[in-house]
Amino acid sequence: MKERKEKKRNYIMLFLLLLLLTALLVGCGNKGNEDATVSAPVRNTVIIASSNEPPTLDPTHQTSLMSKEMCMLMYNRLFTVDADLKVVPDLINTYKTLSDTEWEMQLKSNVKFHDGSILNSADVKATIEYASESSFAEAFISDVKDVEIIDDLTVKITTKKPSPLLPMNLTQSTLSILPKALIDAGHDFNAEPCGTGPYKFINWDLGNKLEFEMNEEYFDKERMPSIKYLTWKIIPEGSSRTIALEAGEVDFLYDVATIDLPTLTENPETEVLMKESCNLMYLDINHEVKPFNNVLLRKAINAAIDKKSIVEVALDGRGSPGVAAVPNGLQGFSAKNAVSYDINAAKKYLKESGVDPSTLSFPILCTNDEKRRVASVIQANLAEIGINAEIVSIEYATYLSKCSQGDFIASLGGVANFDALSWMKRVYHSSQIGAANFARFNDPEVDALINKALVTVDTEARLKIVTECIEKVNDQCVLCPLYQNLWIRAYNKDLGGVDINAATFTYFQDFYWK
């Protein structure tokens, strides 16, 4: 027995020695070929830098570009806009018109919200009814009369009158589909966003960063993100963003300081993407503040501003001068009655307005470096006709609050939209006072033309009405069109899948590390 135990002990010791020897031999072999056997760590995060912070993450109660981008990450809509600016289904499989006022839509099956609940027709009905109470969303569904649940995945939307632009209106981020149960519970979608989008919300460190994580159960398997985490850092100063990209502290610049473009373009470690936009930047003037309700004064201000100089000086030539009441090139566009740069005409308009320029001084609200450079050109231009303008820097959320409430005189803003009628409805219709109609413009004739175009099914007839409306708004000089900028993004050369469309949306779920 003792002998047997001794043998067993020896076998165990021999086995342990063989294991140790094998481990040593494997370790030695690896050292001689370390580069071939040790792979680089997988990159699973993209860090984005922007100048502004979203004022809210609540999709239904927002109008800012930053909030819209966040919505694109976390939510889906019934329809969306693709890279070619075509309206295509998003959460629906198929749809058809039953009449000029009836639309039947079938939802995709087994689409999950971030809380695990399954999307159904009741969520669509609840979202549209909830959005109708928001001044930011109501404009896009004001013609909706009823949303009827046919079955779990089929809804019928009935409009009050013909609404040929309904699918386009349903692409708006303010109509992101929400869970009915959370709407009914009074859920705070700013604090805890819950959508069906490719990324889930993790954390918001106010003034510093926002963090998102891939939605592992995203319904669109062909567009499933390959990057697990997105971190959105807020870096207000342009050169600081550039330095952070070049130092590898961030991977993607949402806002690029144009002064740094030559450096970023020449840097072999960074890529620069430029695309033409349908974003018209303009000087908004509050018509409810006297004497700015005087159309001749507005024309004097517009004629005094040299838009070409703005593009050359403030944008380093990367953009095109604004011309009329809507972005250049949209269907129905017209420059008739638009006021162009002419200093002599500006002085004439000013004299005819009866306003003494020596009594006129007003602040221009600006939210970033680019706008401050633009405002400097405007300031110098207006000084030539005796008007004093002050440049006032303001935080973005405060700017939105002040402008939507009419608590301002002048500000620099802009709207991107690929459809002239939708653009005018949003910016000039009186129903949008308190939302995107910052000028607080109220003209019954313009409202009537917009309303008429919105129910005109025939495309050619609708475009004629749109053109007539643009020419009338041009004559009213509601705002001063300044420029259409290029969308510019800069990013780490190893980052693939980067693209944006003319309406500024970035497809973050397509990003990947090469």
Side-chain angles (χ1 to χ4, degrees), residues 133-180:
E133 300 171 4
S134 164
S135 61
F136 299 106
E138 185 274 338
F140 304 109
I141 50 170
S142 58
D143 289 337
V144 173
K145 180 181 179 181
D146 182 54
V147 181
E148 181 183 350
I149 297 173
I150 305 301
D151 58 42
D152 275 357
L153 293 176
T154 310
V155 295
K156 185 174 82 171
I157 298 178
T158 303
T159 56
K160 300 169 187 173
K161 46 188 179 285
S163 185
L165 298 185
L166 181 64
M168 182 182 296
N169 289 338
L170 293 175
T171 68
Q172 298 296 322
S173 59
T174 49
L175 293 170
S176 298
I177 303 301
L178 310 171
K180 179 182 186 298

Side-chain angles (χ1 to χ4, degrees), residues 227-275:
I227 302 297
K228 186 166 186 178
Y229 300 104
L230 291 182
T231 298
W232 202 296
K233 296 190 73 173
I234 313 304
I235 306 177
E237 209 276 314
S239 62
S240 297
R241 292 192 300 275
T242 300
I243 292 169
L245 175 62
E246 293 186 318
E249 296 170 4
V250 304
D251 307 306
F252 181 91
L253 298 188
Y254 186 86
D255 300 300
V256 180
T258 53
I259 194 171
D260 292 333
L261 272 174
T263 301
L264 291 169
T265 303
E266 293 168 9
N267 189 334
E269 298 301 313
T270 59
E271 296 280 351
V272 174
L273 173 66
M274 295 189 192
K275 278 203 171 182

Side-chain angles (χ1 to χ4, degrees), residues 437-449:
N437 183 351
F438 289 172
R440 308 183 83 77
F441 174 64
N442 188 344
D443 186 308
E445 290 185 25
V446 169
D447 282 358
L449 284 170

Side-chain angles (χ1 to χ4, degrees), residues 47-52 208-210 231-235 249-250:
I47 302 175
I48 303 157
S50 66
S51 60
N52 291 312
N208 183 28
K209 65 182 178 180
L210 297 96
T231 298
W232 202 296
K233 296 190 73 173
I234 313 304
I235 306 177
E249 296 170 4
V250 304

Side-chain angles (χ1 to χ4, degrees), residues 120-139:
N120 61 38
S121 300
D123 299 311
V124 173
K125 179 178 174 65
T127 295
I128 292 177
E129 291 174 350
Y130 175 62
S132 68
E133 300 171 4
S134 164
S135 61
F136 299 106
E138 185 274 338

Side-chain angles (χ1 to χ4, degrees), residues 99-119:
S99 70
D100 283 349
T101 60
E102 295 173 298
W103 301 70
E104 187 175 278
M105 304 177 187
Q106 185 179 53
L107 299 172
K108 292 176 179 176
S109 61
N110 201 34
V111 175
K112 288 187 179 182
F113 287 103
H114 296 162
D115 65 356
S117 60
I118 304 296
L119 170 76

Side-chain angles (χ1 to χ4, degrees), residues 29 36 48 65 71-72 213 238 281 297 323 356 358 493:
I48 303 157
L65 188 56
C71 285
M72 292 292 285
E213 182 179 8
M281 300 296 294
L297 174 59
V323 176
D356 180 358
S358 66
K493 69 175 179 61

